[in-house]
Amino acid sequence: MFIIIFMLGACFGSFFYLIITRRQLGQSILFPASHCPYCQHRLTIWELIPILSICCLRFRCHTCHQKIPVSSLITEILSGIMFSYVFYGYPASLSQKCLALVWLSLALILSVADCLYLSIDLQLFFYTHLLLWFVLFSLQQPFFLSHLLVCSAALLISLLLKQTYLGNGDLLLACAWFPWLSYQQINLLLLIASGLGLIGYGLCFLNNRRLDLRLPFIPFLSLGLFWVYFLS
């Protein structure tokens, strides 16, 4: 049963990656069917098995032999791990497990998109977080209006000053997530995200020897969210 849940999560991860890449190109996420972006070869069933297909194909398209991004495999694995944790490691009711799947799935999509493109698809962001807020309100989760007002003010000031030190996408994400977290949870989330961000920046600096590196921050915020809301 564990393998089935993991592979189900990996299937969702494959779809998440399709959403990310097609939205970046301005394409529909439903049509056409899954295909190679280089030669337009329509993928067969055996080419669509998450994780296994990409490994058997050795990260190459079966037809044109163009490279398949490793990031697609990583997304499938992370999604499989996420589903496995929610079903087997998260001690909560069924409704809370559904909330975890929705929230962590959105965090995964935004994290991968931030890693690949250093940006947020605003349309995708608003639609998906409307769904998240609907689920949160439906489950009567604690809502802190003051947190929303503070985050909104910070985002407005950032837009007016046109600052570049903190991405507006990160502040927009704070407006969507922080109203549902307590003050203590927000502090711990930011501490974890900042610490991991500094470690990530240090590793990238040692590899590139550049001070003007642009580092995606949403993955670190997502890890902080996972720790304070679904793990602790």
Side-chain angles (χ1 to χ4, degrees):
M1 191 63 182
F2 177 85
I3 298 298
I4 294 176
I5 296 299
F6 178 84
M7 291 305 292
L8 175 63
C11 289
F12 272 91
S14 179
F15 181 63
F16 295 158
Y17 194 80
L18 179 146
I19 292 175
I20 295 165
T21 52
R22 289 199 181 185
R23 287 294 306 173
Q24 181 66 21
L25 297 173
Q27 299 175 349
S28 168
I29 63 174
L30 299 177
F31 303 102
S34 296
H35 59 278
C36 172
Y38 301 102
C39 66
Q40 308 305 313
H41 161 67
R42 181 171 178 173
L43 303 184
T44 58
I45 294 178
W46 72 271
E47 292 175 296
L48 290 171
I49 303 173
I51 301 176
L52 297 178
S53 293
I54 192 172
C55 292
C56 291
L57 290 169
R58 298 182 180 181
F59 298 89
R60 298 280 181 178
C61 172
H62 179 66
T63 304
C64 67
H65 306 294
Q66 288 285 347
K67 290 186 67 175
I68 301 174
V70 178
S71 52
S72 63
L73 175 64
I74 295 175
T75 305
E76 293 173 359
I77 293 175
L78 290 176
S79 185
I81 294 174
M82 176 186 69
F83 269 66
S84 301
Y85 170 76
V86 170
F87 277 93
Y88 292 104
Y90 184 43
S93 64
L94 179 60
S95 59
Q96 290 295 321
K97 287 179 182 289
C98 291
L99 169 60
L101 285 179
V102 171
W103 204 341
L104 292 176
S105 294
L106 298 186
L108 178 60
I109 291 173
L110 293 176
S111 296
V112 174
D114 197 24
C115 288
L116 294 178
Y117 307 114
L118 292 174
S119 64
I120 285 182
D121 183 319
L122 292 179
Q123 187 177 31
L124 178 64
F125 175 87
F126 284 119
Y127 283 137
T128 53
H129 281 77
L130 280 176
L131 170 63
L132 174 62
W133 277 42
F134 173 78
V135 174
L136 287 163
F137 273 121
S138 298
L139 296 178
Q140 299 181 334
Q141 298 300 296
F143 179 80
F144 301 92
L145 179 60
S146 59
H147 296 172
L148 175 60
L149 295 176
V150 170
C151 292
S152 299
L155 177 60
L156 180 61
I157 293 172
S158 174
L159 291 172
L160 292 175
L161 296 179
K162 298 180 180 180
Q163 62 83 31
T164 58
Y165 296 103
L166 182 64
N168 290 327
D170 302 327
L171 292 173
L172 185 63
L173 193 66
C175 292
W177 289 2
F178 287 8
W180 303 98
L181 304 174
S182 68
Y183 180 74
Q184 292 77 11
Q185 287 176 318
I186 293 174
N187 284 337
L188 181 57
L189 186 156
L190 292 176
L191 180 64
I192 293 171
S194 300
L196 293 175
L198 287 173
I199 294 173
Y201 182 86
L203 293 174
C204 291
F205 174 75
L206 291 175
N207 184 52
N208 295 278
R209 300 292 179 179
R210 292 174 52 194
L211 293 174
D212 58 340
L213 294 171
R214 293 185 63 193
L215 195 68
F217 194 59
I218 291 179
F220 304 121
L221 290 172
S222 298
L223 289 172
L225 171 73
F226 174 70
W227 182 272
V228 304
Y229 201 90
F230 299 105
L231 191 61
S232 61

